[in-house]
Amino acid sequence: MMIRIRSRDGLERVRIDNAQATVGQLRSAIELQLRVPTHSQTLSTNQNLLLAKTLAEITRFTDMLDHNTRISALNIGHGSVVYLAYEGERTVTGPVFNPAGSFGRKMTVDDLIAKQMRITRQENPHCELVSFDRDAANAFQNYVNETLAFAVKRGGLMYGTVSPEGKVEVDFIYEPPQQGTEENLILFRDPDEEKLVEAIALGLGMKRVGFIFSQTVSQDKKHYTMSNAEILQAVELHTESDLKEWVTAVVKLEVNEDGGADVHFEAFQMSDMCVRLFKEGWFEKDIRGEVDPKLSRMTKDVVVAGKDTREVDNDFFLVVVKIFDHQGPLSSTFPIENRNVPVSMQALKTHLDRTKSLPFVKRISDFHLLLLIARFLDVNADVPALAACVQAQATVPEGFQLLIESIASS
């Protein structure tokens, strides 16, 4: 059977002939096939092992410490992922070697550039952590889980704040017009609608801080963290923002210990090298033919683990970000834009009727409701002013109240 080994070097595979193998035998296979000495290995089924920075933190992962434990007892089988931390350095086996500047061949300018373009793993993100508003995250994952059943992809742009220490807080998710399939997500960006979103964010004291998307159940069988198409889309949006703390979040289904499925959030930053390569046009954007989705194609040779190649494991471009949650200032109970069912004025009336007992500012403290109302207001003056009332939880001017109630009754 094949066991996937994820380490700081990316995702690799180890073959085990015996389904009843022990942890010790798995360690020996890793030493033989991946050239990591057994005494240097720390193994775990917990992905947080890869976030450990010190020896003291690494030694806390003890679930695979006993060499005599059968891996089947740890629910490790064909296709399972085991996380590996190790001391020292090693040479990672790369794709087919295509020498540049070999004896008897002249070095071109591209060869010289490629010699300098070395792809290495970035250990630390620019953001300290990302924290999701529970209601906003739940509204997104509920839709992709219960309505879309993770059959097609879905995406959104995340808005919130960034602290001076680099802590990113996501307080609402805007879902632009889009078309999702099993493998691809096409965003039909609407500049006019995004102007309204930005005006609301401005009034709330927030800004665009990241991109979130879901992976489908069919993708879970393909053994990659993000596909080459997802890397391209994520780094394009990251580059567009020019925010160094920009976060990309992935929502997926994962099989739990009981054989059921849990919704799982992962967060990453595109590495500095990934952003640079995209800005300088190194990524092959026209992906055709039989291309392994876990590899990104370059237009010119780069150096990975000492080898010249045009195919780079996507994991080299991902920097893991710690995830937390919080209760933000907004609710997420109003119907969300650009989904299967259009948002109607009746939905606004129903929402206002249901929240009659609350102060008016509380009744409209929902981004998705504000986006509907914003279509009837001046984007440069009225929209930020109304959103500022929500941010301060201040009394909403009577003119705004009358207008909103009038819109709801139309």
Side-chain angles (χ1 to χ4, degrees), residues 63-132:
D63 56 317
M64 297 184 69
L65 199 59
D66 187 349
H67 289 214
N68 297 317
T69 301
R70 294 190 185 277
I71 59 176
S72 57
L74 300 171
N75 293 317
I76 298 172
H78 179 71
S80 296
V81 177
V82 173
Y83 299 91
L84 163 68
Y86 67 91
E87 299 176 17
E89 300 294 331
R90 68 183 176 114
T91 300
V92 181
T93 302
V96 177
F97 177 46
N98 179 24
S102 302
F103 179 76
R105 176 186 164 196
K106 289 184 178 179
M107 293 282 282
T108 67
V109 173
D110 283 349
D111 290 338
L112 292 169
I113 293 173
K115 285 287 184 186
Q116 299 171 2
M117 194 60 78
R118 297 180 179 273
I119 311 298
T120 56
R121 179 170 295 278
Q122 180 178 326
E123 296 295 337
N124 298 312
H126 291 293
C127 63
E128 177 70 20
L129 59 89
V130 60
S131 181
F132 289 90

Side-chain angles (χ1 to χ4, degrees), residues 2-3 7 48-49 97 144 167 194 204 243 259 365 373 395:
M2 182 272 292
I3 306 295
S7 70
N48 289 327
L49 173 64
F97 177 46
V144 298
K167 176 182 175 183
E194 288 191 25
L204 292 172
L243 177 71
S365 293
I373 295 170
T395 301

Side-chain angles (χ1 to χ4, degrees), residues 110 280-285 297-301 310:
D110 283 349
E280 296 181 6
W282 287 68
F283 276 92
E284 180 67 67
K285 297 181 181 179
R297 294 287 303 272
M298 301 290 114
T299 57
K300 293 174 283 192
D301 284 353
R310 293 196 180 192

Side-chain angles (χ1 to χ4, degrees), residues 87-374:
E87 299 176 17
E89 300 294 331
R90 68 183 176 114
T91 300
V92 181
T93 302
V96 177
F97 177 46
N98 179 24
S102 302
F103 179 76
R105 176 186 164 196
K106 289 184 178 179
M107 293 282 282
T108 67
V109 173
D110 283 349
D111 290 338
L112 292 169
I113 293 173
K115 285 287 184 186
Q116 299 171 2
M117 194 60 78
R118 297 180 179 273
I119 311 298
T120 56
R121 179 170 295 278
Q122 180 178 326
E123 296 295 337
N124 298 312
H126 291 293
C127 63
E128 177 70 20
L129 59 89
V130 60
S131 181
F132 289 90
D133 173 82
R134 298 185 195 98
D135 293 338
N138 197 47
F140 185 83
Q141 69 93 4
N142 266 347
Y143 184 67
V144 298
N145 185 20
E146 297 178 8
T147 302
L148 301 182
F150 281 96
V152 296
K153 295 166 71 70
R154 185 76 185 171
L157 299 173
M158 305 189 296
Y159 284 77
T161 57
V162 181
S163 73
E165 301 77 30
K167 176 182 175 183
V168 176
E169 288 197 349
V170 177
D171 287 315
F172 71 83
I173 299 170
Y174 160 64
E175 298 179 23
Q178 58 193 274
Q179 179 64 52
T181 66
E182 275 191 331
E183 300 289 341
N184 295 300
L185 175 64
I186 303 170
L187 301 180
F188 300 113
R189 306 285 292 275
D190 181 341
D192 292 333
E193 187 168 84
E194 288 191 25
K195 283 180 185 176
L196 298 177
V197 176
E198 294 295 327
I200 294 169
L202 176 66
L204 292 172
M206 301 177 188
K207 61 184 174 182
R208 192 180 300 178
V209 295
F211 172 53
I212 186 171
F213 68 92
S214 63
Q215 290 182 333
T216 60
V217 286
S218 62
Q219 288 182 275
D220 186 50
K221 303 170 185 175
K222 298 188 178 178
H223 312 316
Y224 55 72
T225 308
M226 285 174 61
S227 71
N228 44 27
E230 290 167 346
I231 291 284
L232 273 174
Q233 186 170 44
V235 71
E236 182 176 10
L237 289 166
H238 185 144
T239 305
E240 176 188 310
S241 76
D242 213 26
L243 177 71
K244 67 181 175 65
E245 295 90 356
W246 180 272
V247 175
T248 298
V250 185
V251 184
K252 60 174 72 172
L253 274 184
E254 287 199 348
V255 178
N256 59 32
E257 295 177 355
D258 301 322
D262 294 328
V263 178
H264 186 66
F265 279 70
E266 292 181 348
F268 305 94
Q269 281 201 288
M270 298 296 110
S271 70
D272 295 342
M273 178 59 72
C274 181
V275 173
R276 176 186 170 187
L277 289 170
F278 183 81
K279 285 182 175 179
E280 296 181 6
W282 287 68
F283 276 92
E284 180 67 67
K285 297 181 181 179
D286 188 12
I287 304 171
R288 294 181 180 179
E290 293 296 322
V291 179
D292 189 335
K294 74 173 183 294
L295 300 175
S296 289
R297 294 287 303 272
M298 301 290 114
T299 57
K300 293 174 283 192
D301 284 353
V302 295
V303 180
V304 180
K307 303 290 182 68
D308 291 1
T309 180
R310 293 196 180 192
E311 294 184 337
V312 182
D313 189 316
N314 298 330
D315 283 355
F316 275 97
F317 297 134
L318 300 175
V319 188
V320 177
V321 176
K322 293 180 287 188
I323 294 181
F324 290 78
D325 64 359
H326 67 276
Q327 192 64 54
L330 304 173
S331 65
S332 291
T333 58
F334 193 74
I336 294 174
E337 64 283 345
N338 301 313
R339 290 187 172 180
N340 290 338
V341 180
V343 181
S344 65
M345 295 305 151
Q346 182 58 45
L348 177 59
K349 185 175 188 307
T350 301
H351 177 89
L352 293 177
D353 288 345
R354 190 178 66 246
T355 56
K356 271 184 178 178
S357 61
L358 299 174
F360 195 84
V361 69
K362 282 284 187 188
R363 297 164 73 188
I364 64 168
S365 293
D366 187 309
F367 161 74
H368 307 288
L369 181 148
L370 290 173
L371 182 57
L372 178 68
I373 295 170

Side-chain angles (χ1 to χ4, degrees), residues 28-46:
S28 298
I30 291 173
E31 180 176 47
L32 179 65
Q33 298 174 41
L34 303 185
R35 300 188 302 284
V36 180
T38 55
H39 66 268
S40 299
Q41 299 173 20
T42 300
L43 300 179
S44 178
T45 57
N46 187 340

